[in-house]
Amino acid sequence: MLDTPTVLVVDYGAQYAQLIARRVRECHVYSEIVPHDIPASRVAALRPAGIILSGGPSSVYAPGAPGINPDLFELGVPVLGICYGQQLMTQVLGGEVAKTGTAEYGKTDLDVGPETSLLFAEQPARQTVWMSHRDAVVASPDGFRCTASTPSAPVAAFENQEQRFYGVQFHPEVVHTPWGQELLKNFLYQGCDLMPSWTMTSIIDDATAEISRVVGRDRIVCALSGGVDSSVAAALVHRAVGDQLTCLFVDHGLLRAGEAEQVEGTFRRHLEIDLIHVKAADRFLEALDGVVDPERKRKVIGETFIRVFEEVAHDELEDAGYLVQGTLYPDVIESGSRDAARIKSHHNVGGLPADMTFTLVEPLRNLFKDEVRRAGAELGLPEEIVWRQPFPGPGLAVRIIGEVTHERLEILRAADAIVTDEIKKAGLQRDIWQSFAVLPAIHSVGIQGDSRTYGYPIVLRAVTSEDAMTADWARLPYDVLERISNRIVGAVPEVNRVVYDVTSKPPGTIEWE
């Protein structure tokens, strides 16, 4: 981000780092996640305004537990350690961490000491916090004052205001710590001397300036899917370069019922940007012939996308050297990095061919989905685009478990249309992050019209989430489930069974592939 004061969140595992980064951004301060073994010299080069050490599942004494370079504390940057981060700070700076004999999990009463505290300023002396630990700080490092305690954590919080080092044993980033966001604000605004200046206006202005700087007067093409991400990316780029932008909408034949027509109509009507509609369903189906492995599917689709773009750009936009994509921060995290395991490759991150001829422009790469929606609203995009449910780039191909065929696509399209219709009729579309049908390429026995059937099952998936990093299965009313099941089995003859997926993320993912 252009000259934006940044708080680095050092990742020590689980989902803690992502949640902390989101909470910092909700304070209108820009944050980025970095791996725990990032060199201190690299941190110094990034010139952060503050550093937060996240929680994590390890014990600081466990063999192979992630550590920290002591030089990080010599940079003159304010540091906040949370849970494992506090314990690590204690260990490195000369304090003592030990098992107290009693672990604390869940809601815990916290007593704030009478001493002046930066973190707890303007907060009650007794409050509820969320704990999750076996080890605890039992002796603070030299120069630190204990500012809060619980029955099993004698040093539940400490501060060294001279060096601007702070630590808490509990998790301020979770909603179960009611004063947690105020504590983070105190660290950011008072401890780091930051202002809440990272707003949607500043995000859009910075992105616009950066796009203009990178692209100059060159032609640029946008990979438009019609979803929130690519539409907001297109609107941002159009704001920066105007008629230098042409959008390519590739209909790969893997879209939902009526979606191609809806995307083209909505996009032409509302954004008035040059749009080329490429119909390539047969080409994608041919490329997917015999492909079963989900990672291979994503890579095949990603490469085919790029090849179509290159061909159209060569034939109709000969001078286009840049490609816009709606890549988001969760896409980058889930596709893996040097320090993160790959959960699944996203077709626009891990699935791109190494020899593609475009230079990528990804204006949303550092944003979570809810931030993208707010940016879209700020840019004046219509509600039908801003609040559209997330839809995977590979489309229905990763909702068919097994080989993708024309017949299976038609079956899934018909079932999925019923799911969408019933969720909308029930008024649940804004309460649910995603709701869709999945088609496993297996058969089960059933009875229809007094005859034996051997048809496909349909898996119904509906989840609630804030940013897709974690998700919970949606508690759909039984009558809605009943209507969906009855309609699918009655209207799609190849299907004789509907089941509901009640798995959260983790351990599952939202999509099945």
Side-chain angles (χ1 to χ4, degrees), residues 279-331:
K279 298 181 180 180
D282 291 343
R283 181 166 174 177
F284 278 85
L285 268 178
E286 182 179 348
L288 288 167
D289 184 34
V291 177
V292 174
D293 179 73
E295 281 293 286
R296 180 61 186 152
K297 280 184 191 177
R298 290 176 179 274
K299 293 182 183 300
V300 165
I301 292 168
E303 181 168 356
T304 306
F305 254 111
I306 292 299
R307 297 311 176 212
V308 171
F309 287 136
E310 289 175 338
E311 291 166 13
V312 174
H314 180 269
D315 293 342
E316 303 189 40
L317 303 165
E318 190 173 340
D319 55 346
Y322 291 91
L323 171 64
V324 182
Q325 288 201 136
T327 306
L328 304 191
Y329 207 11
D331 296 340

Side-chain angles (χ1 to χ4, degrees), residues 147-377:
T147 55
S149 63
T150 71
S152 297
V155 186
F158 59 37
E159 300 183 10
N160 182 328
Q161 293 195 25
E162 182 179 348
Q163 292 187 290
R164 297 190 294 174
F165 294 158
Y166 311 88
V168 294
Q169 178 60 68
F170 56 90
H171 289 275
E173 72 274 17
V174 302
V175 295
H176 307 293
T177 300
W179 287 89
Q181 196 70 351
E182 295 306 312
L183 185 147
L184 290 175
K185 287 179 180 178
N186 285 341
F187 171 70
L188 297 169
Y189 303 159
Q190 308 304 322
C192 302
D193 296 322
L194 290 167
M195 297 291 289
S197 58
W198 194 67
T199 63
M200 272 307 126
T201 299
S202 68
I203 292 169
I204 291 170
D205 289 346
D206 285 353
T208 301
E210 179 68 3
I211 293 163
S212 297
R213 183 190 69 79
V214 170
V215 175
R217 296 303 306 164
D218 291 342
R219 295 284 301 170
I220 185 167
V221 61
C222 177
L224 180 72
S225 70
V228 181
D229 308 337
S230 64
S231 296
V232 174
L236 262 178
V237 172
H238 187 252
R239 188 176 188 264
V241 301
D243 60 8
Q244 293 170 237
L245 172 69
T246 297
C247 288
L248 296 185
F249 170 46
V250 175
D251 180 1
H252 50 23
L254 308 172
L255 297 172
R256 292 170 288 198
E259 196 161 30
E261 296 78 13
Q262 179 191 21
V263 167
E264 183 173 9
T266 300
F267 203 80
R268 289 190 189 279
R269 184 168 64 252
H270 288 286
L271 296 185
E272 298 181 354
I273 298 174
D274 186 27
L275 175 66
I276 298 174
H277 184 171
V278 183
K279 298 181 180 180
D282 291 343
R283 181 166 174 177
F284 278 85
L285 268 178
E286 182 179 348
L288 288 167
D289 184 34
V291 177
V292 174
D293 179 73
E295 281 293 286
R296 180 61 186 152
K297 280 184 191 177
R298 290 176 179 274
K299 293 182 183 300
V300 165
I301 292 168
E303 181 168 356
T304 306
F305 254 111
I306 292 299
R307 297 311 176 212
V308 171
F309 287 136
E310 289 175 338
E311 291 166 13
V312 174
H314 180 269
D315 293 342
E316 303 189 40
L317 303 165
E318 190 173 340
D319 55 346
Y322 291 91
L323 171 64
V324 182
Q325 288 201 136
T327 306
L328 304 191
Y329 207 11
D331 296 340
V332 178
I333 294 169
E334 287 200 338
S335 288
S337 64
R338 180 175 56 84
D339 300 284
R342 184 178 71 241
I343 299 170
K344 58 186 178 185
S345 295
H346 288 258
H347 81 286
N348 57 345
V349 182
L352 296 176
D355 62 341
M356 71 174 189
T357 60
F358 288 111
T359 299
L360 286 180
V361 175
E362 298 174 312
L364 311 178
R365 189 179 179 87
N366 294 319
L367 300 183
F368 290 99
K369 177 73 77 172
D370 60 319
E371 294 167 338
V372 173
R373 292 194 196 280
R374 293 202 298 273

Side-chain angles (χ1 to χ4, degrees), residues 427-472:
L428 296 172
Q429 66 269 31
R430 289 285 288 269
D431 299 324
I432 293 175
W433 179 264
Q434 277 177 273
S435 54
F436 54 89
V438 176
L439 178 67
I442 59 175
H443 290 76
S444 69
V445 174
I447 301 172
Q448 290 171 292
D450 296 325
S451 298
R452 178 188 186 276
T453 62
Y454 195 55
Y456 286 104
I458 284 290
V459 179
L460 172 60
R461 181 74 161 143
V463 299
T464 57
S465 180
E466 288 188 358
D467 56 19
M469 295 306 302
T470 60
D472 194 14

